[in-house]
Amino acid sequence: MSELIYLASQSPRRRQLLEQIGVRHELLLPGADEDAEALEAVLAGEPPEVYCARVTGAKLDAALARLAARGLPSAPVLCADTTVAIGDLILGKPQDEADARRMLGLMSGRTHRVVTAVTVADGTRRAAALNVSHVEFAPLAAAQIERYVASREPFGKAGGYAIQSQAAAWIVKIAGSYSGIMGLPLFETARLLEQFGFEF
């Protein structure tokens, strides 16, 4: 069994979730020469679930190349990506305040999907899982959206919110995985890591 995994993600929430289930990890982040954002480009007509799985696989390929190029000790590499969607509309990270307002307005009073893909690989094996959760927002007043955008919390987050933030006050109900909505579905992640010798 590996002593640790490499986490190819800058998300502090994913680190926290791995710590919660006792998985020791080291970060394997892109270098200055890599354009990590380019991997997140949406292809025309691509369904959110397909998009999320494809992006996660591309991030894993980049991380495995990074591991080899840096000559680091071998260990499984984990990548994850989270996408928020209404129907086939993908809500990525807000570009600016207007974009954050637009996204929150679209989610107001309705249910959206939070799709999180996880993939793990070492030198010989590769395994992937996809978690889809449903989140219902209460109707939001323009003033509520304005206050949330002013807090700066929407930025850097798919769909412009985080479930563990102030936005939790708007969530009527969730169906699915709380940890998946945070960015790393722990049930699926544990099942994947079991294939690489981890025990839970």
Side-chain angles (χ1 to χ4, degrees):
M1 171 178 158
S2 287
E3 293 286 320
L4 60 82
I5 66 166
Y6 291 108
L7 173 63
S9 170
Q10 306 201 37
S11 165
R13 292 165 295 284
R14 292 192 180 116
R15 298 196 71 180
Q16 174 190 343
L17 289 164
L18 284 174
E19 287 164 6
Q20 182 179 328
I21 58 171
V23 175
R24 201 158 69 80
H25 57 279
E26 291 182 6
L27 294 181
L28 182 63
L29 301 180
D33 59 326
E34 294 182 62
D35 184 3
E37 292 299 313
L39 297 176
E40 297 185 7
V42 180
L43 302 179
E46 191 172 30
E49 288 78 1
V50 173
Y51 163 79
C52 194
R54 178 184 61 78
V55 168
T56 305
K59 287 182 176 181
L60 181 63
D61 291 339
L64 291 169
R66 194 179 309 138
L67 181 69
R70 293 178 186 174
L72 295 168
S74 180
V77 178
L78 184 148
C79 280
D81 193 70
T82 300
T83 299
V84 172
I86 297 175
D88 280 340
L89 178 64
I90 294 170
L91 302 181
K93 297 168 185 169
Q95 299 297 310
D96 52 29
E97 291 186 0
D99 200 26
R101 287 188 205 100
R102 176 186 69 87
M103 290 183 188
L104 293 164
L106 283 169
M107 291 185 287
S108 172
R110 57 198 295 199
T111 298
H112 60 270
R113 301 193 309 290
V114 180
V115 181
T116 299
V118 186
T119 184
V120 182
D122 60 14
T124 57
R125 288 166 297 176
R126 187 175 182 122
L130 190 75
N131 175 271
V132 182
S133 297
H134 294 83
V135 181
E136 182 185 341
F137 266 22
L140 305 177
Q144 290 176 290
I145 292 174
E146 205 57 52
R147 281 195 300 273
Y148 190 61
V149 172
S151 77
R152 311 304 294 169
E153 279 190 355
F155 300 100
K157 298 172 181 72
Y161 83 97
I163 194 169
Q164 72 279 13
S165 73
Q166 299 172 49
W170 303 334
I171 294 171
V172 177
K173 67 180 175 184
I174 69 169
S177 167
Y178 185 87
S179 58
I181 297 165
M182 280 183 71
L184 191 69
L186 291 181
F187 177 80
E188 289 85 347
T189 298
R191 299 294 81 76
L192 291 177
L193 290 174
E194 283 173 346
Q195 298 179 44
F196 294 82
F198 287 80
E199 295 179 343
F200 298 94

